[in-house]
Amino acid sequence: MENRQVLIDSLPDEKLSTDNYKLVTTEAPVPGDGEVLCRTLLTTVAAGSRAGLQGSASYAGAPQTNIVMNSHGVARIEASNSDSLKVGDLVTCPTGWQDYSVHAAKHCQLVSDDIDLAHYLGALGTNGLTAYFGLLRVGEPREGQTVLISAAAGSVGHMVGQIAAIKGCRTVGTTSTDEKCGLLMRDLGYDAAVSYRSPDFRADLKAACPDGIDIYFDNTGGEVLGAALFRMNEHGRIVCCGVVSQYDTSHPSGGPKGVPGLLVNKRIRMQGFLVFDYLKDYDKARAEMKDWIKSGELKPVNDTVEGLENAPDAFVNLLGGGNVGTRIIKIAD
Amino acid sequence: MENRQVLIDSLPDEKLSTDNYKLVTTEAPVPGDGEVLCRTLLTTVAAGSRAGLQGSASYAGAPQTNIVMNSHGVARIEASNSDSLKVGDLVTCPTGWQDYSVHAAKHCQLVSDDIDLAHYLGALGTNGLTAYFGLLRVGEPREGQTVLISAAAGSVGHMVGQIAAIKGCRTVGTTSTDEKCGLLMRDLGYDAAVSYRSPDFRADLKAACPDGIDIYFDNTGGEVLGAALFRMNEHGRIVCCGVVSQYDTSHPSGGPKGVPGLLVNKRIRMQGFLVFDYLKDYDKARAEMKDWIKSGELKPVNDTVEGLENAPDAFVNLLGGGNVGTRIIKIAD
């Protein structure tokens, strides 16, 4: 049985390009004892994976070539040597960018089809959990506060905005174009939106946050972080979730002015987190998110691209800000 | 009655110098209703006051000239129009750099002479409370952890080191010279010390912190902060207390590399604070600090300079790293 795989062919010098990947066809693997063969149905394209191509400074460890691009996905069991999973079961597992993969059954999580399967990679997957724990546990929002979110239309950002709104906050998003600003307010429920590429970005941000910023959920670092620091209110919180402005380069920029001086003067808490630290509370968070989706309070957006062969292009485009919501590659029905 | 006063004569362009001050003699003020006349006995010289000469970016507000240099002090009541204080009482109050000052009695705190009066400006004053709340409330030390402290011989730093040791932590200090490094270990109880001016500073810091850094108590910002970030352990805390490396210049440097990237990867919390936010717990903290002093667990160092006329030079020298412990100007017995 043929297995198409997208391999990391080379590491990017500067910006990632589709040339850094190659599509190969191999023989599908055979499950051993306690293992299952998984047919990938849906898989993710995540900005955070770019860090894994950047070397040892990243939490993802040292980069490698000639391996299948890693990703999480939803798969259907095609063959099983385990009592715990049977053929036809639906699971989430680290599929990678390929048609078939083999995993120990215990590394697959059984899911039900009572909800759009793509949500398991979005709101109920790492992105949604990141939004949930980052905002609620690190940001600690209170009703009436202003929450600024960078990469606000992104896989994590668009859910942070909606969860902040559920908590009674005023939400302001930054994104890459005026067109996406319109979309943030029209489709994603933001109260205000600002393009960070505008020559008047700092003035626009000030106008969009007349009462200052209580929580900045930072997905980008860079210019937005620098500007947000100067608009933070006393005792504000900066949730350091990601540095997408710094991923797609081999020369990350220096730190923002105002650190640490403004942190002292305004008693700001700036805190990095990784979602994995909240593992023990995943089930509780997923249950609450599922309730919000079913009640219509949370409307996660999944941005689906058809075809495994289009994954590299979808990733390059994502790093350039081309996505709205969680970008998912559909590989099979 | 003559009143010698040290006025701010001009604002520093770059480094502060004694020329920015002038000594004048005026008539001592007369207390009004509810007020007291205070004879300054001891007064402080504090690095944080430098920020007040730097303009509106500081929490101290916009700078002014031709005013008495502000400072806290210990004074004796010389005349009283208040029922709550009598002649001869000892108080702490915002004396400024001058022989006499008038205050509303309610703005003076009565103190007792059962302990060296200088402690009221050190361990039991703003410096000691800053060390106490910054380390214990923001840093949250746990037994066996490594605490790095910059400006480790300074008015706040030398007490942070001792409180961390009381809490069972390993303490490492940075300071300006090898000579002061010796003093940190010999006289102030540090387990290790590093000179930030050494050409091998980063390697020395690594060697001094073989288990990484759990808490960095940052009094300086600048190079020490930049280096410490790369040695922080996962879930480490950076207590942003002051930016003395940035005070004595009109061109503060940019922020440290590694913010926000390293904060994310290592889940570091970086938090600014001002001691005034803990006002309601001052009495409790002072009582605990007084117990530690009386039991000999805490040995605060007061670095006393004789004579009001020497205050400007003592301040310039302090900003250059010349002090050990809390620098206090002795004005009268």
Side-chain angles (χ1 to χ4, degrees):
Chain A
M1 192 161 57
E2 278 194 355
N3 185 25
R4 294 175 308 151
Q5 302 182 305
V6 178
L7 305 187
I8 301 169
D9 192 36
S10 59
L11 297 178
D13 286 328
E14 275 288 333
K15 282 194 176 300
L16 185 77
S17 90
T18 55
D19 292 343
N20 294 120
Y21 292 96
K22 67 177 170 191
L23 183 68
V24 299
T25 302
T26 59
E27 190 67 16
V30 176
D33 198 36
E35 292 184 333
V36 290
L37 176 66
C38 296
R39 171 63 169 129
T40 311
L41 305 181
L42 304 167
T43 196
T44 51
V45 171
S49 311
R50 177 64 177 84
L53 305 173
Q54 211 174 30
S56 57
S58 153
Y59 60 86
Q64 279 186 282
T65 57
N66 263 312
I67 55 168
V68 175
M69 180 66 180
N70 68 304
S71 69
H72 211 66
V74 175
R76 191 173 51 229
I77 305 297
E78 299 277 307
S80 175
N81 291 327
S82 159
D83 292 338
S84 62
L85 290 171
K86 63 178 189 298
V87 171
D89 278 349
L90 297 169
V91 297
T92 59
C93 62
T95 56
W97 289 1
Q98 57 190 338
D99 285 323
Y100 293 97
S101 55
V102 156
H103 304 279
K106 64 183 175 190
H107 293 153
C108 299
Q109 286 76 44
L110 192 67
V111 298
S112 67
D113 58 1
D114 67 337
I115 199 166
D116 180 352
L117 291 179
H119 286 324
Y120 291 111
L121 305 182
L124 307 177
T126 303
N127 291 320
L129 294 168
T130 298
Y132 182 96
F133 290 111
L135 180 67
L136 301 182
R137 298 288 177 87
V138 185
E140 301 186 277
R142 290 188 286 276
E143 196 175 335
Q145 294 190 323
T146 296
V147 180
L148 177 73
I149 298 137
S150 59
S155 53
V156 172
H158 87 284
M159 285 187 276
V160 176
Q162 293 188 43
I163 298 170
I166 290 171
K167 295 294 175 186
C169 296
R170 182 166 185 277
T171 58
V172 181
T174 69
T175 187
S176 53
T177 64
D178 288 343
E179 191 195 341
K180 283 177 86 170
C181 283
L183 183 148
L184 287 182
M185 291 189 284
R186 201 174 52 242
D187 300 342
L188 299 176
Y190 281 91
D191 294 305
V194 183
S195 165
Y196 69 84
R197 287 180 183 160
S198 159
D200 302 318
F201 169 57
R202 291 201 174 212
D204 294 348
L205 181 66
K206 184 175 177 180
C209 303
D211 300 321
I213 300 164
D214 297 297
I215 298 175
Y216 170 43
F217 194 105
D218 184 21
N219 290 306
T220 59
E223 168 63 10
V224 185
L225 172 58
L229 265 168
F230 283 84
R231 301 295 309 154
M232 293 301 293
N233 290 331
E234 289 186 356
H235 302 289
R237 285 81 69 196
I238 299 178
V239 182
C240 300
C241 179
V243 283
V244 73
S245 75
Q246 307 297 302
Y247 289 153
D248 201 14
T249 170
S250 52
H251 302 290
S253 68
K257 268 184 130 158
V259 171
L262 282 172
L263 301 189
V264 178
N265 296 350
K266 296 184 173 178
R267 292 88 106 195
I268 294 167
R269 186 177 76 203
M270 193 168 181
Q271 186 168 354
F273 81 105
L274 293 176
V275 68
F276 316 108
D277 292 329
Y278 298 93
L279 195 59
K280 69 176 174 45
D281 293 334
Y282 276 13
D283 287 346
K284 200 178 141 201
R286 281 195 176 108
E288 189 167 17
M289 299 276 274
K290 210 165 180 172
D291 285 346
W292 285 336
I293 294 172
K294 290 185 172 179
S295 72
E297 288 179 281
L298 180 64
K299 296 187 178 74
V301 175
N302 299 314
D303 171 11
T304 305
V305 173
E306 299 267 342
L308 176 64
E309 64 282 8
N310 294 317
D313 187 57
F315 190 28
V316 170
N317 174 270
L318 174 101
L319 292 171
N323 66 308
V324 172
T326 304
R327 181 152 281 182
I328 289 169
I329 309 296
K330 184 173 176 182
I331 295 180
D333 280 315
Chain B
M1 192 160 56
E2 277 194 355
N3 186 25
R4 294 175 308 150
Q5 300 181 306
V6 178
L7 305 186
I8 301 169
D9 192 36
S10 58
L11 297 177
D13 286 327
E14 277 287 332
K15 282 196 175 300
L16 185 77
S17 89
T18 55
D19 292 343
N20 295 120
Y21 292 96
K22 67 176 170 194
L23 183 69
V24 299
T25 302
T26 59
E27 191 66 15
V30 176
D33 198 37
E35 293 183 334
V36 290
L37 175 66
C38 296
R39 172 63 169 128
T40 311
L41 304 181
L42 303 168
T43 196
T44 51
V45 171
S49 311
R50 178 62 179 86
L53 304 174
Q54 210 173 31
S56 57
S58 153
Y59 59 86
Q64 279 186 283
T65 56
N66 263 311
I67 55 169
V68 175
M69 180 67 180
N70 68 306
S71 68
H72 211 67
V74 175
R76 190 173 52 228
I77 305 297
E78 299 278 307
S80 174
N81 291 326
S82 160
D83 292 339
S84 63
L85 290 172
K86 63 179 189 299
V87 172
D89 278 350
L90 296 170
V91 297
T92 59
C93 61
T95 56
W97 288 0
Q98 57 190 339
D99 285 321
Y100 293 97
S101 56
V102 156
H103 304 280
K106 64 183 175 189
H107 292 154
C108 299
Q109 286 77 44
L110 193 66
V111 298
S112 67
D113 58 0
D114 66 337
I115 199 166
D116 181 351
L117 291 178
H119 286 325
Y120 290 110
L121 304 183
L124 307 176
T126 303
N127 291 319
L129 294 168
T130 298
Y132 182 96
F133 290 110
L135 179 67
L136 300 182
R137 297 289 177 86
V138 184
E140 302 186 278
R142 290 188 286 278
E143 195 174 336
Q145 293 191 323
T146 296
V147 180
L148 177 72
I149 298 137
S150 60
S155 53
V156 171
H158 87 283
M159 285 187 277
V160 176
Q162 293 187 42
I163 298 170
I166 290 171
K167 295 293 175 185
C169 296
R170 183 169 185 277
T171 59
V172 182
T174 70
T175 188
S176 52
T177 64
D178 288 343
E179 191 195 341
K180 283 178 85 170
C181 283
L183 183 148
L184 287 182
M185 291 189 284
R186 200 174 52 242
D187 299 341
L188 299 176
Y190 282 91
D191 294 306
V194 184
S195 165
Y196 69 85
R197 287 181 182 160
S198 159
D200 301 318
F201 169 57
R202 291 201 174 213
D204 294 347
L205 182 66
K206 185 175 176 180
C209 305
D211 300 322
I213 300 165
D214 297 296
I215 298 175
Y216 170 43
F217 194 106
D218 184 21
N219 290 307
T220 59
E223 168 63 11
V224 184
L225 172 58
L229 266 167
F230 284 84
R231 300 296 308 155
M232 293 299 294
N233 289 331
E234 288 187 357
H235 301 288
R237 286 83 67 199
I238 298 178
V239 182
C240 300
C241 178
V243 283
V244 74
S245 75
Q246 307 297 301
Y247 290 152
D248 200 15
T249 170
S250 51
H251 302 290
S253 68
K257 267 184 132 158
V259 171
L262 282 172
L263 301 189
V264 178
N265 296 350
K266 294 185 174 178
R267 293 89 105 194
I268 293 167
R269 186 177 76 204
M270 192 167 181
Q271 186 167 353
F273 82 103
L274 292 176
V275 68
F276 316 108
D277 292 329
Y278 298 92
L279 195 60
K280 69 175 173 48
D281 294 334
Y282 276 14
D283 287 346
K284 202 178 138 199
R286 282 195 175 109
E288 189 167 17
M289 299 276 275
K290 209 164 179 172
D291 285 346
W292 285 336
I293 294 172
K294 290 186 171 179
S295 72
E297 288 179 281
L298 179 64
K299 297 188 178 74
V301 175
N302 298 314
D303 170 12
T304 304
V305 173
E306 298 268 343
L308 176 64
E309 65 282 8
N310 294 317
D313 187 57
F315 191 28
V316 169
N317 173 270
L318 174 100
L319 292 170
N323 65 308
V324 173
T326 304
R327 180 152 282 182
I328 288 169
I329 309 296
K330 183 173 177 182
I331 296 180
D333 280 313

